[in-house]
């Protein structure tokens, strides 16, 4: 698994812990965070690059309090620098 694929996977796991659904779908939209029926979800075009997916998820996670979660330093840095 490439480094960026691993980052996407780890960011998705963080979303799971925060009860944020991540969906990779065929869409003409670029993707991003939305709220439907009081549930947060991140929808990203499944054909997007892994780097783009990681950036969308990380920028979405910046809107949440992550202080209570244990994050690997590499992942925390990635989120902070998006």
């Amino acid at each position: 698994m490439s480094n960026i694929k691993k980052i996407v996977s780890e960011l998705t796991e963080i979303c799971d812990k925060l009860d944020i659904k991540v969906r990779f779908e065929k869409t003409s939209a670029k993707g991003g965070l939305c709220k439907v029926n009081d549930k947060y979800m991140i929808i990203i075009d499944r054909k997007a690059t892994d780097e783009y997916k990681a950036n969308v998820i990380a920028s979405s996670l910046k809107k949440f309090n992550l202080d209570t979660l244990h994050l690997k330093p590499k992942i925390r840095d990635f989120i902070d620098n998006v």
Side-chain angles (χ1 to χ4, degrees):
M1 181 183 295
S2 71
N3 189 37
I4 195 69
K5 281 189 183 293
K6 188 167 175 80
I7 290 172
V8 170
S9 176
E10 291 183 30
L11 291 170
T12 302
E13 289 175 17
I14 294 166
C15 290
D16 287 342
K17 291 177 184 176
L18 295 171
D19 198 27
I20 302 168
K21 177 107 173 122
V22 180
R23 295 171 47 178
F24 301 103
E25 298 183 356
K26 182 179 179 183
T27 177
S28 60
K30 294 191 181 227
L33 178 70
C34 63
K35 189 174 183 181
V36 178
N37 296 329
D38 295 326
K39 294 277 187 179
Y40 285 100
M41 67 176 61
I42 301 169
I43 301 172
I44 305 170
D45 187 341
R46 67 175 168 225
K47 292 184 179 181
T49 65
D50 290 329
E51 184 175 301
Y52 182 82
K53 291 174 184 176
N55 287 330
V56 169
I57 297 169
S59 64
S60 297
L61 284 172
K62 287 178 114 172
K63 298 176 182 180
F64 296 89
N65 181 0
L66 304 176
D67 294 339
T68 60
L69 298 176
H70 173 73
L71 303 178
K72 294 178 183 177
K74 176 176 85 170
I75 297 299
R76 188 170 297 277
D77 287 344
F78 187 87
I79 293 168
D80 290 343
N81 291 310
V82 167

